[in-house]
Amino acid sequence: MIIDRDKIADFCQVLRDGGQKVVFTNGCFDILHAGHVRYLNKARSFGDCLVLGLNTDSSVRRIKGPSRPINSELDRAEVAGALKAVDYVVLFDEPTAEALIRQVHPDVYVKGGDYTIETLPEGQIVLGYGGRVELVNLVEGRSTTNVIAKIKGEK
């Protein structure tokens, strides 16, 4: 289910008031692959519901370059939201999810193991209010960049 950005804070508060442990992660999730599925399943295992912050198309272009994303933000939201592990999707346009983290106020924030607590500004926010940060190992050889290279015949 896609939740409007302007409603996400109240929505997540209702979840927490109902006794649910809210888990949050974020990213582009352009071409879904097994690495994404395993990552999202692991993220979901840390709580009762998983909120996925999904980069908008313009945000992905700023991060990944002009040829990305391959799939539009609404298509990416629909596909990611259809996964069993993902309960809610919210779009964000900023370069980092710091403002969105302040709105969602998750009990647990999850990111890939290519980050560290020191290089993760969102993590500092979560730790600051007593939440938990989990870094999940990435699946070797599984990435959207690798999928695109294979399609182009580069690998």
mmCIF file of all heavy atoms in Angstrom, residues 35-69:
data_model
loop_
_atom_site.group_PDB
_atom_site.id
_atom_site.type_symbol
_atom_site.label_atom_id
_atom_site.label_comp_id
_atom_site.label_asym_id
_atom_site.label_seq_id
_atom_site.Cartn_x
_atom_site.Cartn_y
_atom_site.Cartn_z
ATOM 1 N N GLY A 35 18.571 -10.244 -4.547
ATOM 2 C CA GLY A 35 19.223 -9.507 -3.469
ATOM 3 C C GLY A 35 18.249 -8.573 -2.758
ATOM 4 O O GLY A 35 18.249 -8.472 -1.528
ATOM 5 N N HIS A 36 17.403 -7.897 -3.540
ATOM 6 C CA HIS A 36 16.387 -7.024 -2.943
ATOM 7 C C HIS A 36 15.414 -7.838 -2.083
ATOM 8 O O HIS A 36 15.078 -7.435 -0.964
ATOM 9 C CB HIS A 36 15.575 -6.307 -4.031
ATOM 10 C CG HIS A 36 16.301 -5.205 -4.718
ATOM 11 N ND1 HIS A 36 16.274 -5.070 -6.091
ATOM 12 C CD2 HIS A 36 17.045 -4.180 -4.253
ATOM 13 C CE1 HIS A 36 16.967 -4.003 -6.431
ATOM 14 N NE2 HIS A 36 17.457 -3.449 -5.334
ATOM 15 N N VAL A 37 14.947 -8.941 -2.632
ATOM 16 C CA VAL A 37 13.962 -9.763 -1.919
ATOM 17 C C VAL A 37 14.539 -10.268 -0.598
ATOM 18 O O VAL A 37 13.886 -10.183 0.447
ATOM 19 C CB VAL A 37 13.475 -10.927 -2.810
ATOM 20 C CG1 VAL A 37 12.586 -11.889 -2.023
ATOM 21 C CG2 VAL A 37 12.731 -10.388 -4.033
ATOM 22 N N ARG A 38 15.756 -10.768 -0.623
ATOM 23 C CA ARG A 38 16.378 -11.264 0.611
ATOM 24 C C ARG A 38 16.589 -10.140 1.610
ATOM 25 O O ARG A 38 16.355 -10.311 2.817
ATOM 26 C CB ARG A 38 17.710 -11.947 0.290
ATOM 27 C CG ARG A 38 17.522 -13.229 -0.497
ATOM 28 C CD ARG A 38 18.846 -13.836 -0.898
ATOM 29 N NE ARG A 38 18.654 -14.818 -1.958
ATOM 30 C CZ ARG A 38 19.635 -15.337 -2.656
ATOM 31 N NH1 ARG A 38 20.893 -15.000 -2.408
ATOM 32 N NH2 ARG A 38 19.368 -16.206 -3.611
ATOM 33 N N TYR A 39 17.021 -8.993 1.120
ATOM 34 C CA TYR A 39 17.233 -7.818 1.979
ATOM 35 C C TYR A 39 15.919 -7.391 2.642
ATOM 36 O O TYR A 39 15.859 -7.161 3.854
ATOM 37 C CB TYR A 39 17.829 -6.682 1.141
ATOM 38 C CG TYR A 39 17.901 -5.371 1.855
ATOM 39 C CD1 TYR A 39 18.937 -5.090 2.742
ATOM 40 C CD2 TYR A 39 16.934 -4.389 1.650
ATOM 41 C CE1 TYR A 39 19.005 -3.876 3.404
ATOM 42 C CE2 TYR A 39 16.992 -3.180 2.304
ATOM 43 C CZ TYR A 39 18.020 -2.923 3.180
ATOM 44 O OH TYR A 39 18.077 -1.731 3.840
ATOM 45 N N LEU A 40 14.872 -7.262 1.847
ATOM 46 C CA LEU A 40 13.583 -6.815 2.386
ATOM 47 C C LEU A 40 12.986 -7.842 3.343
ATOM 48 O O LEU A 40 12.402 -7.467 4.372
ATOM 49 C CB LEU A 40 12.620 -6.482 1.247
ATOM 50 C CG LEU A 40 13.024 -5.244 0.431
ATOM 51 C CD1 LEU A 40 12.197 -5.149 -0.844
ATOM 52 C CD2 LEU A 40 12.904 -3.966 1.262
ATOM 53 N N ASN A 41 13.149 -9.116 3.051
ATOM 54 C CA ASN A 41 12.688 -10.151 3.983
ATOM 55 C C ASN A 41 13.419 -10.046 5.318
ATOM 56 O O ASN A 41 12.807 -10.165 6.381
ATOM 57 C CB ASN A 41 12.864 -11.549 3.392
ATOM 58 C CG ASN A 41 11.817 -11.889 2.360
ATOM 59 O OD1 ASN A 41 10.713 -11.338 2.358
ATOM 60 N ND2 ASN A 41 12.149 -12.802 1.462
ATOM 61 N N LYS A 42 14.717 -9.834 5.260
ATOM 62 C CA LYS A 42 15.500 -9.696 6.497
ATOM 63 C C LYS A 42 15.067 -8.441 7.250
ATOM 64 O O LYS A 42 14.890 -8.473 8.475
ATOM 65 C CB LYS A 42 17.002 -9.648 6.168
ATOM 66 C CG LYS A 42 17.888 -9.559 7.384
ATOM 67 C CD LYS A 42 17.819 -10.811 8.225
ATOM 68 C CE LYS A 42 18.802 -10.758 9.376
ATOM 69 N NZ LYS A 42 18.679 -11.898 10.263
ATOM 70 N N ALA A 43 14.882 -7.339 6.533
ATOM 71 C CA ALA A 43 14.440 -6.099 7.177
ATOM 72 C C ALA A 43 13.113 -6.322 7.897
ATOM 73 O O ALA A 43 12.939 -5.918 9.055
ATOM 74 C CB ALA A 43 14.315 -4.983 6.141
ATOM 75 N N ARG A 44 12.194 -6.968 7.230
ATOM 76 C CA ARG A 44 10.855 -7.207 7.807
ATOM 77 C C ARG A 44 10.939 -8.058 9.061
ATOM 78 O O ARG A 44 10.120 -7.935 9.976
ATOM 79 C CB ARG A 44 9.966 -7.870 6.745
ATOM 80 C CG ARG A 44 8.573 -8.252 7.211
ATOM 81 C CD ARG A 44 7.764 -7.014 7.581
ATOM 82 N NE ARG A 44 6.364 -7.314 7.774
ATOM 83 C CZ ARG A 44 5.868 -7.935 8.832
ATOM 84 N NH1 ARG A 44 6.661 -8.355 9.799
ATOM 85 N NH2 ARG A 44 4.573 -8.145 8.931
ATOM 86 N N SER A 45 11.946 -8.926 9.154
ATOM 87 C CA SER A 45 12.076 -9.826 10.302
ATOM 88 C C SER A 45 12.380 -9.091 11.608
ATOM 89 O O SER A 45 12.240 -9.664 12.683
ATOM 90 C CB SER A 45 13.164 -10.879 10.040
ATOM 91 O OG SER A 45 14.462 -10.325 10.178
ATOM 92 N N PHE A 46 12.746 -7.814 11.534
ATOM 93 C CA PHE A 46 13.097 -7.044 12.735
ATOM 94 C C PHE A 46 11.891 -6.417 13.426
ATOM 95 O O PHE A 46 12.044 -5.746 14.450
ATOM 96 C CB PHE A 46 14.126 -5.964 12.402
ATOM 97 C CG PHE A 46 15.459 -6.508 11.976
ATOM 98 C CD1 PHE A 46 15.944 -6.262 10.700
ATOM 99 C CD2 PHE A 46 16.227 -7.275 12.838
ATOM 100 C CE1 PHE A 46 17.174 -6.759 10.294
ATOM 101 C CE2 PHE A 46 17.459 -7.783 12.439
ATOM 102 C CZ PHE A 46 17.931 -7.523 11.164
ATOM 103 N N GLY A 47 10.695 -6.584 12.855
ATOM 104 C CA GLY A 47 9.529 -5.963 13.482
ATOM 105 C C GLY A 47 8.222 -6.498 12.949
ATOM 106 O O GLY A 47 8.176 -7.559 12.320
ATOM 107 N N ASP A 48 7.173 -5.731 13.188
ATOM 108 C CA ASP A 48 5.820 -6.153 12.824
ATOM 109 C C ASP A 48 5.366 -5.648 11.464
ATOM 110 O O ASP A 48 4.487 -6.235 10.846
ATOM 111 C CB ASP A 48 4.822 -5.666 13.881
ATOM 112 C CG ASP A 48 5.142 -6.227 15.255
ATOM 113 O OD1 ASP A 48 5.289 -7.458 15.362
ATOM 114 O OD2 ASP A 48 5.260 -5.422 16.207
ATOM 115 N N CYS A 49 5.915 -4.540 11.024
ATOM 116 C CA CYS A 49 5.559 -4.018 9.700
ATOM 117 C C CYS A 49 6.762 -3.285 9.120
ATOM 118 O O CYS A 49 7.565 -2.707 9.845
ATOM 119 C CB CYS A 49 4.335 -3.116 9.760
ATOM 120 S SG CYS A 49 4.547 -1.625 10.725
ATOM 121 N N LEU A 50 6.875 -3.341 7.801
ATOM 122 C CA LEU A 50 7.994 -2.710 7.096
ATOM 123 C C LEU A 50 7.479 -1.578 6.228
ATOM 124 O O LEU A 50 6.635 -1.788 5.360
ATOM 125 C CB LEU A 50 8.731 -3.732 6.230
ATOM 126 C CG LEU A 50 9.880 -3.182 5.376
ATOM 127 C CD1 LEU A 50 10.984 -2.573 6.250
ATOM 128 C CD2 LEU A 50 10.452 -4.273 4.478
ATOM 129 N N VAL A 51 8.012 -0.391 6.478
ATOM 130 C CA VAL A 51 7.748 0.781 5.656
ATOM 131 C C VAL A 51 8.967 0.987 4.769
ATOM 132 O O VAL A 51 10.092 1.093 5.261
ATOM 133 C CB VAL A 51 7.504 2.040 6.522
ATOM 134 C CG1 VAL A 51 7.293 3.265 5.645
ATOM 135 C CG2 VAL A 51 6.326 1.826 7.464
ATOM 136 N N LEU A 52 8.732 1.029 3.468
ATOM 137 C CA LEU A 52 9.805 1.230 2.492
ATOM 138 C C LEU A 52 9.753 2.653 1.965
ATOM 139 O O LEU A 52 8.760 3.054 1.347
ATOM 140 C CB LEU A 52 9.660 0.243 1.331
ATOM 141 C CG LEU A 52 10.584 0.446 0.135
ATOM 142 C CD1 LEU A 52 12.042 0.291 0.536
ATOM 143 C CD2 LEU A 52 10.223 -0.517 -0.979
ATOM 144 N N GLY A 53 10.811 3.421 2.218
ATOM 145 C CA GLY A 53 10.957 4.741 1.624
ATOM 146 C C GLY A 53 11.567 4.569 0.246
ATOM 147 O O GLY A 53 12.685 4.059 0.124
ATOM 148 N N LEU A 54 10.849 4.958 -0.790
ATOM 149 C CA LEU A 54 11.289 4.741 -2.165
ATOM 150 C C LEU A 54 11.670 6.067 -2.807
ATOM 151 O O LEU A 54 10.869 7.003 -2.820
ATOM 152 C CB LEU A 54 10.148 4.080 -2.956
ATOM 153 C CG LEU A 54 10.503 3.547 -4.326
ATOM 154 C CD1 LEU A 54 11.372 2.295 -4.219
ATOM 155 C CD2 LEU A 54 9.237 3.229 -5.104
ATOM 156 N N ASN A 55 12.896 6.134 -3.329
ATOM 157 C CA ASN A 55 13.353 7.345 -4.011
ATOM 158 C C ASN A 55 12.469 7.643 -5.223
ATOM 159 O O ASN A 55 12.156 6.743 -5.999
ATOM 160 C CB ASN A 55 14.797 7.189 -4.492
ATOM 161 C CG ASN A 55 15.779 7.140 -3.367
ATOM 162 O OD1 ASN A 55 15.986 6.087 -2.777
ATOM 163 N ND2 ASN A 55 16.397 8.258 -3.058
ATOM 164 N N THR A 56 12.104 8.916 -5.388
ATOM 165 C CA THR A 56 11.368 9.331 -6.580
ATOM 166 C C THR A 56 12.271 9.216 -7.801
ATOM 167 O O THR A 56 13.491 9.068 -7.683
ATOM 168 C CB THR A 56 10.895 10.783 -6.464
ATOM 169 O OG1 THR A 56 12.061 11.624 -6.335
ATOM 170 C CG2 THR A 56 9.932 10.996 -5.308
ATOM 171 N N ASP A 57 11.672 9.327 -8.977
ATOM 172 C CA ASP A 57 12.456 9.267 -10.219
ATOM 173 C C ASP A 57 13.533 10.345 -10.251
ATOM 174 O O ASP A 57 14.687 10.065 -10.600
ATOM 175 C CB ASP A 57 11.540 9.413 -11.439
ATOM 176 C CG ASP A 57 10.641 8.210 -11.646
ATOM 177 O OD1 ASP A 57 10.869 7.161 -11.014
ATOM 178 O OD2 ASP A 57 9.709 8.324 -12.457
ATOM 179 N N SER A 58 13.179 11.572 -9.889
ATOM 180 C CA SER A 58 14.180 12.647 -9.936
ATOM 181 C C SER A 58 15.299 12.397 -8.929
ATOM 182 O O SER A 58 16.465 12.673 -9.209
ATOM 183 C CB SER A 58 13.528 14.015 -9.719
ATOM 184 O OG SER A 58 12.876 14.070 -8.475
ATOM 185 N N SER A 59 14.967 11.840 -7.793
ATOM 186 C CA SER A 59 15.979 11.513 -6.790
ATOM 187 C C SER A 59 16.918 10.415 -7.299
ATOM 188 O O SER A 59 18.141 10.502 -7.123
ATOM 189 C CB SER A 59 15.284 11.059 -5.505
ATOM 190 O OG SER A 59 16.207 10.629 -4.544
ATOM 191 N N VAL A 60 16.359 9.402 -7.952
ATOM 192 C CA VAL A 60 17.190 8.324 -8.508
ATOM 193 C C VAL A 60 18.140 8.895 -9.563
ATOM 194 O O VAL A 60 19.324 8.545 -9.591
ATOM 195 C CB VAL A 60 16.327 7.189 -9.108
ATOM 196 C CG1 VAL A 60 17.196 6.157 -9.823
ATOM 197 C CG2 VAL A 60 15.486 6.522 -8.032
ATOM 198 N N ARG A 61 17.649 9.776 -10.424
ATOM 199 C CA ARG A 61 18.514 10.383 -11.446
ATOM 200 C C ARG A 61 19.672 11.142 -10.808
ATOM 201 O O ARG A 61 20.806 11.069 -11.287
ATOM 202 C CB ARG A 61 17.707 11.318 -12.360
ATOM 203 C CG ARG A 61 17.001 10.585 -13.484
ATOM 204 C CD ARG A 61 16.414 11.534 -14.512
ATOM 205 N NE ARG A 61 15.266 12.261 -14.009
ATOM 206 C CZ ARG A 61 14.030 11.779 -13.924
ATOM 207 N NH1 ARG A 61 13.788 10.531 -14.293
ATOM 208 N NH2 ARG A 61 13.053 12.521 -13.469
ATOM 209 N N ARG A 62 19.395 11.856 -9.725
ATOM 210 C CA ARG A 62 20.472 12.593 -9.042
ATOM 211 C C ARG A 62 21.502 11.639 -8.454
ATOM 212 O O ARG A 62 22.695 11.927 -8.437
ATOM 213 C CB ARG A 62 19.889 13.488 -7.952
ATOM 214 C CG ARG A 62 19.156 14.700 -8.489
ATOM 215 C CD ARG A 62 18.828 15.712 -7.396
ATOM 216 N NE ARG A 62 18.037 15.190 -6.304
ATOM 217 C CZ ARG A 62 16.700 15.166 -6.258
ATOM 218 N NH1 ARG A 62 16.002 15.632 -7.273
ATOM 219 N NH2 ARG A 62 16.083 14.675 -5.211
ATOM 220 N N ILE A 63 21.054 10.492 -7.967
ATOM 221 C CA ILE A 63 21.952 9.526 -7.322
ATOM 222 C C ILE A 63 22.669 8.640 -8.335
ATOM 223 O O ILE A 63 23.872 8.427 -8.248
ATOM 224 C CB ILE A 63 21.156 8.640 -6.331
ATOM 225 C CG1 ILE A 63 20.593 9.474 -5.188
ATOM 226 C CG2 ILE A 63 22.017 7.506 -5.789
ATOM 227 C CD1 ILE A 63 19.521 8.752 -4.371
ATOM 228 N N LYS A 64 21.921 8.113 -9.317
ATOM 229 C CA LYS A 64 22.429 7.080 -10.218
ATOM 230 C C LYS A 64 22.802 7.573 -11.610
ATOM 231 O O LYS A 64 23.426 6.840 -12.360
ATOM 232 C CB LYS A 64 21.381 5.954 -10.377
ATOM 233 C CG LYS A 64 20.943 5.312 -9.086
ATOM 234 C CD LYS A 64 21.996 4.400 -8.533
ATOM 235 C CE LYS A 64 21.477 3.625 -7.329
ATOM 236 N NZ LYS A 64 22.454 2.691 -6.800
ATOM 237 N N GLY A 65 22.361 8.788 -11.970
ATOM 238 C CA GLY A 65 22.682 9.312 -13.295
ATOM 239 C C GLY A 65 21.456 9.392 -14.193
ATOM 240 O O GLY A 65 20.393 8.869 -13.867
ATOM 241 N N PRO A 66 21.610 10.032 -15.359
ATOM 242 C CA PRO A 66 20.469 10.339 -16.225
ATOM 243 C C PRO A 66 19.794 9.141 -16.872
ATOM 244 O O PRO A 66 18.648 9.242 -17.320
ATOM 245 C CB PRO A 66 21.073 11.259 -17.291
ATOM 246 C CG PRO A 66 22.531 10.934 -17.303
ATOM 247 C CD PRO A 66 22.873 10.546 -15.892
ATOM 248 N N SER A 67 20.461 7.999 -16.921
ATOM 249 C CA SER A 67 19.848 6.822 -17.548
ATOM 250 C C SER A 67 18.977 6.014 -16.576
ATOM 251 O O SER A 67 18.389 5.010 -16.968
ATOM 252 C CB SER A 67 20.922 5.916 -18.138
ATOM 253 O OG SER A 67 21.725 5.382 -17.102
ATOM 254 N N ARG A 68 18.897 6.453 -15.351
ATOM 255 C CA ARG A 68 18.129 5.734 -14.338
ATOM 256 C C ARG A 68 17.053 6.663 -13.791
ATOM 257 O O ARG A 68 17.195 7.860 -13.833
ATOM 258 C CB ARG A 68 19.057 5.300 -13.199
ATOM 259 C CG ARG A 68 20.160 4.353 -13.622
ATOM 260 C CD ARG A 68 19.754 2.914 -13.719
ATOM 261 N NE ARG A 68 19.268 2.330 -12.494
ATOM 262 C CZ ARG A 68 20.040 1.852 -11.529
ATOM 263 N NH1 ARG A 68 21.334 1.864 -11.639
ATOM 264 N NH2 ARG A 68 19.492 1.346 -10.447
ATOM 265 N N PRO A 69 15.964 6.159 -13.300
ATOM 266 C CA PRO A 69 15.663 4.749 -13.134
ATOM 267 C C PRO A 69 15.183 4.118 -14.440
ATOM 268 O O PRO A 69 14.769 4.809 -15.365
ATOM 269 C CB PRO A 69 14.524 4.760 -12.105
ATOM 270 C CG PRO A 69 13.798 6.029 -12.399
ATOM 271 C CD PRO A 69 14.877 7.009 -12.792
#
